[in-house]
Amino acid sequence: MIIEIFNKKRERFIISAIAVVVAIIAGVMSIYRFPIKLENMAEDSLYHNAGVIPDDIKIIAIDEKTLEHLGPYSDWDRGKFADLLEILNGDSKNTPKVIGIDVVFRGTEHSEEDAELVRVCSLYDNIVIASTVTFDNYIHKGDGDYYRIQYISDENRPYEELAEVVDYGFTNAIFDEDGIVRRAYTQIRSEKSVYDAFAYKIASKVGVVDEYPVYVEPVLVSKPGEIEKISMSDVLDGTVSADYFDDCIVLIGAYTEGLMDSYRVPVDYSKEMYGVELQANYVYAFLNDDIIYSVNEPVRFLVTFVLVAIFGYFALSSSMGRGLIGFIVTIAGYLLLAVLLFKVTSYKLSLLPMPIGMILVFLSAIIYNYMKIQKRRMLEMRNMLFSMAEAMAETIEGRTPYNANHTKNVAKRCMEMLDFINVKHKEKKTQLFFTEDDKRQLYLAAMLHDVGKMDIPLEVMDKPTKLGNREKELRDRLEIISLRIANDALKGHISHSVSDEKRKGIQAFIDNLNVFNCGRPLKDEEWSLVNEMAESVYIDIDGNEMPYMTEDEIADLYIKAGTLSDKERNIMQSHVVYTDKILSHIQFGEHFKNVRAMAANHHELLNGKGYPKGIREEEIDTMTRILTIMDIYDSLIADDRPYKKPKSIKVAFEILDEEAEYGKVDKQLLAYAKELYLKEE
């Protein structure tokens, strides 16, 4: 129950962390409007909806028709503009509100035409002429930081005589990173002067205009070519009457490609808008306060962060189907919020960072759920593998009452060793360190290290004594021979003294058979009695021979140590070959790739005299060495072996020390084992 609660809390923490991280990324993107080009395109499509500029804003175009009638623009004199102004303002009762000439009149040769333009402009106060300014920057230090400040270093205003009698404003365009003109200048104030933008100056002459920042983003109402325009030549020759422009805002400017005054604008990427059209849109925006404002960076971040974080937690903790529905609903809701906010307040939200954050969350949810499925499958496979190993261990132990706990004990001791060494590593007393994957691999190898014993005959694996099942047969035979010798004495075939001596020798052997039959090495006097019995043969009165012991029994009793003959020992040692063969059929996967080798090599020794392969030290990894030591150690102290008494922990390590001196096991790992287990004793 506690583990389940911990896992749920851990999962909620992971989900929350992913949601917060993605939300922060999306929030930062909203601050920097990333990806800026795509963000610009999205905002243009939503916030710059083209409409119709009212009829009271009109354009008099210097178009192809005008150039055909008046000649190339480079050959014009300024008297033509003087004529146009007199026509428009000729009737004092029917004049335009403002006439804006989007032409920069630089310099003069003091010609009559220049003077005429000055004279005409001096008669009327509704004229605004274009200028341009040159911007520069300087570095200002304040409050410990450096700031780059932009200022106007020069103004290309109309020639001096004209500038004294007319209003003028600069027409510099502001290009964004993608080459689109979205923003417009309003006013630039300095300590010495105030510089009005052309459109802002015109709007200010028409009505009261709000004070704005240095530059703003006006809504462009019309698309290129949609504002009503009249050819300048039609006004000059009277084709269009001056009355047509009564009480209007009239803008005069270039309206042909040859004059190179056109710009790419957000309402239509397919064609450029002439500068005079752009100024007309600006004038309308200033008069109607039709300005787009950006929500400040902290608010953009907060809105994006909150929405993405909430959706992220929902998507990561829900099914994919519900997550997809939430994804669609949240994005639709956000776009609706952006539209309503803009309609009500003229403030715009960043459009793409939030959906991109949602997409990142959704992708994170897909990846997270996939990883959960994979993890669950991996845990299922791991549990299945471990349960299979435990089932095999139970099968081995179920075959025999001996070694009943050996496999589990070895696995347990291997885990204790790894944990102990990791503590040493934490204390900076060893470079060795084992991961959780290492632990699982060694545990599985320990549980499977004797699986090959399933192929070992029980009479070999369970052989508690040298004779094994032959002991009863030998005792019965010797009893029969003893009776026959006694019978021969009764019948007078041999003397009673000879009979008694032979029977006494047989009985002495039978009385000590348990000693001869055990796994310990025999003493010299014990060997002499065994040799005597091995060489003795009973011969009856008919000359038939009956050896006291068969060749197999003699071979068994001649085993110097242990209970297995060389043949049986080879059979028993073959269990590691069978282990390797059995495990070769199991697909362990990447996480358990070393299990088979560790299990199959646990009887290999560092000096190359182990079995079955006789591999050398450099081919035996650390965890296999630990498995070898723990296998020997548990066998020495085991109390469930009928053929030997359990060794004490101290004696067991004395034996292992000898093995280490002979170069069989790892001295350093043995030292850790002694430090761990000797304290128990």
Side-chain angles (χ1 to χ4, degrees):
M1 184 65 179
I2 295 175
I3 294 176
E4 184 177 349
I5 293 173
F6 173 78
N7 287 337
K8 286 183 178 179
K9 287 184 177 180
R10 180 174 175 270
E11 183 174 357
R12 282 198 295 270
F13 174 78
I14 293 173
I15 288 172
S16 301
I18 294 173
V20 168
V21 169
V22 176
I24 290 173
I25 293 172
V28 172
M29 289 172 62
S30 71
I31 291 176
Y32 294 100
R33 301 177 66 248
F34 180 84
I36 191 165
K37 288 187 177 180
L38 294 177
E39 175 65 22
N40 284 336
M41 293 175 64
E43 291 182 8
D44 291 344
S45 64
L46 186 63
Y47 300 128
H48 287 279
N49 293 317
V52 178
I53 285 185
D55 292 339
D56 61 353
I57 297 180
K58 301 184 185 300
I59 291 176
I60 295 179
I62 304 173
D63 56 5
E64 291 294 336
K65 183 177 181 181
T66 303
L67 297 178
E68 287 177 4
H69 284 81
L70 302 180
Y73 183 76
S74 59
D75 295 339
W76 284 18
D77 61 64
R78 290 163 181 170
K80 293 180 174 56
F81 290 100
D83 294 341
L84 180 61
L85 291 174
E86 285 196 310
I87 292 172
L88 293 174
N89 285 323
D91 185 352
S92 60
K93 296 181 180 180
N94 297 299
T95 61
K97 292 178 182 178
V98 178
I99 302 172
I101 305 178
D102 188 11
V103 176
V104 179
F105 297 115
R106 297 188 184 92
T108 176
E109 297 178 356
H110 304 288
S111 64
E112 293 181 4
E113 289 76 9
D114 292 337
E116 178 63 13
L117 180 59
V118 171
R119 184 192 70 79
V120 171
C121 287
S122 67
L123 298 175
Y124 312 107
D125 62 356
N126 66 341
I127 301 171
V128 178
I129 295 177
S131 67
T132 60
V133 295
T134 302
F135 291 101
D136 207 343
N137 298 281
Y138 73 91
I139 304 301
H140 172 73
K141 182 179 180 182
D143 297 330
D145 292 324
Y146 290 91
Y147 302 92
R148 183 182 295 275
I149 296 180
Q150 189 179 64
Y151 68 98
I152 293 177
S153 61
D154 189 21
E155 182 179 19
N156 299 312
R157 61 183 187 169
Y159 54 92
E160 186 174 350
E161 295 84 357
L162 183 61
E164 291 176 355
V165 299
V166 75
D167 291 323
Y168 51 90
F170 64 93
T171 58
N172 297 60
I174 304 175
F175 294 91
D176 284 344
E177 298 87 344
D178 52 4
I180 305 294
V181 175
R182 294 183 180 86
R183 295 169 295 163
Y185 286 108
T186 57
Q187 282 185 323
I188 298 178
R189 296 179 178 272
S190 67
E191 295 178 357
K192 297 180 179 180
S193 182
V194 176
Y195 302 90
D196 287 328
F198 181 70
Y200 189 81
K201 189 75 171 183
I202 292 173
S204 299
K205 291 180 77 67
V206 174
V208 178
V209 180
D210 290 343
E211 287 192 9
Y212 296 108
V214 173
Y215 50 81
V216 293
E217 184 176 355
V219 175
L220 299 186
V221 177
S222 71
K223 287 186 177 182
E226 291 187 350
I227 301 176
E228 183 183 7
K229 62 101 177 175
I230 296 91
S231 175
M232 181 175 170
S233 65
D234 288 341
V235 180
L236 289 174
D237 64 14
T239 303
V240 177
S241 171
D243 295 344
Y244 183 73
F245 303 99
D246 178 41
D247 204 33
C248 294
I249 298 172
V250 179
L251 296 176
I252 305 167
Y255 210 92
T256 179
E257 292 182 4
L259 298 181
M260 301 178 67
D261 186 26
S262 59
Y263 308 90
R264 293 178 61 209
V265 291
V267 289
D268 189 353
Y269 294 163
S270 62
K271 54 184 178 180
E272 294 184 339
M273 177 178 281
Y274 290 111
V276 68
E277 293 179 282
L278 197 59
Q279 298 300 329
N281 275 277
Y282 290 166
V283 170
Y284 178 81
F286 290 140
L287 287 173
N288 293 276
D289 194 25
D290 204 359
I291 304 297
I292 299 174
Y293 299 94
S294 293
V295 173
N296 63 44
E297 294 176 354
V299 174
R300 291 206 306 268
F301 176 88
L302 186 62
V303 170
T304 304
F305 174 83
V306 170
L307 290 176
V308 173
I310 292 173
F311 169 74
Y313 188 86
F314 169 77
L316 288 163
S317 57
S318 303
S319 64
M320 293 305 299
R322 292 179 64 191
L324 181 59
I325 293 172
F327 175 76
I328 295 170
V329 170
T330 306
I331 288 183
Y334 179 77
L335 293 177
L336 180 61
L337 171 66
V339 171
L340 291 176
L341 181 68
F342 179 69
K343 294 294 185 184
V344 174
T345 67
S346 295
Y347 276 88
K348 68 175 182 178
L349 285 170
S350 298
L351 297 179
L352 294 185
M354 202 285 292
I356 289 175
M358 302 276 284
I359 292 171
L360 290 176
V361 166
F362 197 67
L363 291 175
S364 299
I366 293 173
I367 295 170
Y368 179 71
N369 284 304
Y370 174 77
M371 290 176 65
K372 282 202 326 186
I373 292 171
Q374 291 299 105
K375 183 178 180 181
R376 185 166 62 248
R377 287 178 177 173
M378 187 182 74
L379 287 174
E380 289 173 355
M381 292 298 294
R382 189 172 74 195
N383 291 338
M384 183 179 71
L385 200 57
F386 275 61
S387 61
M388 178 192 69
E390 290 167 1
M392 287 184 175
E394 289 290 340
T395 301
I396 298 166
E397 293 172 356
R399 293 186 71 208
T400 171
Y402 314 130
N403 306 338
N405 297 310
H406 174 68
T407 299
K408 295 175 184 176
N409 285 342
V410 171
K412 173 176 172 290
R413 298 185 197 286
C414 284
M415 295 301 98
E416 291 171 345
M417 274 287 288
L418 296 193
D419 288 338
F420 182 75
I421 292 172
N422 279 354
V423 171
K424 289 285 186 185
H425 176 83
K426 190 175 181 181
E427 295 172 350
K428 302 186 184 305
K429 294 179 179 178
T430 180
Q431 295 295 320
L432 287 177
F433 178 79
F434 301 98
T435 65
E436 290 300 315
D437 277 347
D438 292 334
K439 291 181 181 180
R440 284 189 281 266
Q441 287 204 79
L442 183 54
Y443 177 82
L444 194 58
M447 291 297 289
L448 294 172
H449 79 283
D450 276 346
V451 69
K453 287 183 178 179
M454 287 192 291
D455 276 345
I456 303 301
L458 285 176
E459 58 269 22
V460 175
M461 190 164 65
D462 284 355
K463 190 179 180 186
T465 61
K466 294 178 180 179
L467 290 169
N469 296 332
R470 297 190 180 97
E471 181 180 351
K472 185 177 183 303
E473 183 182 343
L474 176 58
R475 286 181 180 274
D476 290 343
R477 185 186 313 111
L478 292 177
E479 291 286 351
I480 291 172
I481 290 174
S482 180
L483 289 174
R484 287 187 177 184
I485 291 173
N487 187 51
D488 288 343
L490 291 173
K491 291 181 178 182
H493 297 311
I494 59 174
S495 66
H496 286 284
S497 60
V498 172
S499 173
D500 291 342
E501 184 180 352
K502 289 183 178 182
R503 293 185 67 199
K504 184 178 178 181
I506 291 172
Q507 192 60 47
F509 181 81
I510 292 174
D511 291 342
N512 287 280
L513 187 56
N514 288 338
V515 175
F516 305 148
N517 201 22
C518 71
R520 72 166 175 78
L522 301 183
K523 299 175 183 178
D524 291 342
E525 59 272 20
E526 293 169 339
W527 275 121
S528 64
L529 189 54
V530 171
N531 291 334
E532 182 181 344
M533 288 296 104
E535 295 171 357
S536 298
V537 178
Y538 170 74
I539 302 174
D540 63 17
I541 57 174
D542 296 323
N544 297 317
E545 296 182 353
M546 179 185 292
Y548 282 20
M549 297 170 60
T550 66
E551 291 184 2
D552 288 339
E553 292 166 349
I554 293 170
D556 283 343
L557 288 180
Y558 273 23
I559 296 171
K560 292 183 179 180
T563 63
L564 300 179
S565 66
D566 290 343
K567 180 180 178 182
E568 291 168 335
R569 191 176 302 280
N570 289 335
I571 293 173
M572 191 63 188
Q573 290 180 349
S574 69
H575 80 276
V576 287
V577 176
Y578 292 129
T579 293
D580 190 43
K581 184 177 179 181
I582 292 169
L583 298 186
S584 68
H585 296 285
I586 299 176
Q587 298 294 325
F588 286 102
E590 183 66 22
H591 291 286
F592 297 98
K593 61 183 179 182
N594 298 322
V595 169
R596 176 185 170 190
M598 286 191 286
N601 294 337
H602 74 278
H603 279 299
E604 300 291 349
L605 301 176
L606 302 185
N607 61 6
K609 295 182 179 179
Y611 62 88
K613 303 172 187 174
I615 60 179
R616 302 291 299 182
E617 177 179 358
E618 58 273 11
E619 300 177 68
I620 305 174
D621 65 275
T622 301
M623 290 195 290
T624 303
R625 298 181 188 194
I626 291 173
L627 177 56
T628 300
I629 293 173
M630 292 299 99
D631 184 51
I632 297 171
Y633 174 69
D634 186 73
S635 297
L636 291 171
I637 66 171
D639 58 4
D640 57 359
R641 310 295 171 91
Y643 49 83
K644 73 174 189 64
K645 292 181 180 180
K647 300 288 190 297
S648 67
I649 295 175
K650 182 178 179 181
V651 172
F653 278 117
E654 288 175 355
I655 294 172
L656 279 166
D657 280 336
E658 291 180 6
E659 299 288 278
E661 288 300 322
Y662 286 122
K664 295 181 179 181
V665 297
D666 192 299
K667 286 185 178 182
Q668 183 58 63
L669 294 174
L670 179 59
Y672 293 142
K674 289 165 67 177
E675 187 176 351
L676 173 61
Y677 292 113
L678 278 176
K679 64 183 179 183
E680 296 179 3
E681 190 175 51

